[in-house]
DNA sequence: ACCTGAACACCGTTCAAGT
DNA sequence: ACCTGAACACCGTTCAAGT
């Protein structure tokens, strides 16, 4: 009884919903979440939107711009202060918390982090992140020039930390025992690399989270302490 | 009199010189220097070596490993201390000088820097770089655990700084006036982004070199000052 | 054992030709 | 004006079949 195909008005083809840049970015984000950035190709996204790859170029200039748009969409999920959920506080703890959340977000998508590093993002949520970090540094009494340069440094650290996470997620062992650099450092002959011998144990110690929070402490300490040169 | 072709023994075909991994890497480095990493493809390298792309996989596991080998070759050119040319000194100046040279080397090849960030290089010259940085920190009285974690941080900063240099070299204007983020920050409404307004001038001040040396000072300051957590 | 031609399974982007 | 099929000019990697 029920017909195989429901007849559609207007020329017998189902009306495609009108496409917008927002839709395209939202679908792109969904594909990335589900299968990773590697699988999110222009052709794949076009197929997902039921069109040809050429149509995407009406909404984005190129792949890099698409990555930037995806990042900004992703940043909406940060625990922005003042949102009422109290996930991040004020001062040093607020700064560290927000940057850890940013790193954590990108940590899930290392290739996006790599792309972002070359991108210099400029979406509204990225600006908001810069603004919030500036506010936290300012509240901590950091002079304006050190805060301005410091924000760049802090975001670079966070992005690069996520970007370093290569495609070594698929390894069965949780630790990075199988990384070439780990092996090379462990086996480096003391005669040729005496300092590596000196620091051998400490070179591999700590979890990623411990190293990140130490690095953030190092940066905030230094940003507050070292004056910028006179350039104005 | 002189014949067009010198007759070759062994089957009338010019004997192809035997290929080695070293030759392949050297040629790869030459192609990258001449045309950039983007143009250095497996197919292109194979053509340069007068063979098919499949032959390369006898010497390198994949593209990433080739990039790692190129980096190590490149690092041979660093002004290693003790080489007698006195390009870098001891202590803080030596540390900063070596890291600036490393950044400068990678600055010419931003895509290599991007690749390196995901790579965790492990060649002999990279180990030598780690060893030398450890020695300089140790000489500065930095405790071993802070030196070990600090070397990671310093190299990450240097690599990420080079990686950030996107393909915006082709811009005619020397400054980054045309970068989207610069424009966005300049035009960010004070009502929505008050701190950006506060720091507006300082956000764009300074040259790349000034910012790098400030960042290195921030890191060394913090590395010497902030203790690592007890993880041993 | 060592090497490689040809194929596999894709890419991002452009542009002429639709509607 | 807005959209897109088809083409352009490539990719990295594998594998069966050489020598």
């Amino acid at each position: 009884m029920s017909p195989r195909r429901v007849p559609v008005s207007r020329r017998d083809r189902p009306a495609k919903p009108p496409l917008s840049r927002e839709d395209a970015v939202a679908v792109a984000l969904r594909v990335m979440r589900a299968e990773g950035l590697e699988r999110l190709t222009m052709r794949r996204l076009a197929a997902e939107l039921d069109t040809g790859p050429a149509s995407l170029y009406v909404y984005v200039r190129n792949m890099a711009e698409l990555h930037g748009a995806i990042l900004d969409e992703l940043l909406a999920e940060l625990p922005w202060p003042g949102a009422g959920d109290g996930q991040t506080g004020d001062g040093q703890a607020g700064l560290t918390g927000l940057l850890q959340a940013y790193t954590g977000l990108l940590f899930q998508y290392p290739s996006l982090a790599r792309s972002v590093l070359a991108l210099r993002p400029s979406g509204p949520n990225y600006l908001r992140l810069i603004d919030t970090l500036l506010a936290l540094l300012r509240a901590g009494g950091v002079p304006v020039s050190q805060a301005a340069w410091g924000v760049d440094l802090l975001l670079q650290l966070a992005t690069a930390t996520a970007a370093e996470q290569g495609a070594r997620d698929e390894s069965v062992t949780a630790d990075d025992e199988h990384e070439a650099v780990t092996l090379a450092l462990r086996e480096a002959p003391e005669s040729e690399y005496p300092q590596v011998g000196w620091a051998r144990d400490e070179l591999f110690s700590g979890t990623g989270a411990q190293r990140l929070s130490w690095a953030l402490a190092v940066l905030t300490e230094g940003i507050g302490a070292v004056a910028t040169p006179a350039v104005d």
Side-chain angles (χ1 to χ4, degrees), chain A:
Chain A
M1 298 301 149
S2 61
R4 290 273 203 168
R5 275 169 187 257
V6 177
V8 192
S9 57
R10 288 197 295 217
R11 306 244 189 95
D12 198 42
R13 278 165 112 285
K16 262 175 32 181
L19 192 58
S20 70
R21 185 184 152 106
E22 285 74 43
D23 292 337
V25 173
V27 171
L29 181 56
R30 178 164 58 67
V31 172
M32 185 188 73
R33 275 194 214 279
E35 303 177 41
L37 193 72
E38 274 69 32
R39 303 286 287 275
L40 174 66
T41 66
M42 291 303 230
R43 283 155 190 271
R44 176 68 205 283
L45 179 58
E48 206 79 26
L49 293 166
D50 201 20
T51 183
S55 306
L56 266 25
Y57 291 81
V58 177
Y59 304 103
V60 294
R61 194 192 308 279
N62 50 37
M63 194 90 232
E65 197 188 295
L66 179 64
H67 290 170
I70 290 172
L71 174 75
D72 219 74
E73 198 82 353
L74 210 54
L75 291 186
E77 288 164 30
L78 283 180
W80 298 101
D85 52 4
Q87 283 188 57
T88 53
D90 292 334
Q92 170 69 31
L95 191 83
T96 304
L98 186 57
L99 283 164
Q100 277 167 336
Y102 171 77
T103 310
L105 220 51
L106 278 183
F107 214 81
Q108 300 170 255
Y109 312 103
S111 342
L112 184 64
R114 235 122 56 210
S115 200
V116 162
L117 211 55
L119 216 58
R120 309 301 223 112
S122 61
N125 281 327
Y126 196 79
L127 291 195
R128 194 179 166 198
L129 181 56
I130 291 175
D131 199 73
T132 308
L133 293 172
L134 283 172
L136 290 164
L137 286 171
R138 187 184 195 175
V142 176
V144 61
S145 65
Q146 286 159 241
W149 289 19
V151 164
D152 232 45
L153 201 52
L154 287 164
L155 285 171
Q156 187 190 62
L157 166 76
T159 310
T161 298
E164 271 189 350
Q165 236 45 32
R168 56 179 161 288
D169 309 25
E170 43 261 35
S171 176
V172 244
T173 56
D175 63 346
D176 46 14
E177 203 59 53
H178 295 290
E179 272 214 82
V181 65
T182 308
L183 225 87
L185 284 170
R186 225 181 261 294
E187 289 169 1
E190 191 121 12
S191 56
E192 237 171 313
Y193 307 102
Q195 311 309 323
V196 170
W198 170 61
R200 186 111 48 190
D201 290 338
E202 281 81 2
L203 246 17
F204 308 108
S205 70
T207 65
Q210 284 175 324
R211 279 173 173 247
L212 177 62
S213 71
W214 178 77
L216 289 174
V218 163
L219 286 208
T220 47
E221 168 80 23
I223 288 166
V226 181
T228 57
V231 289
D232 304 338

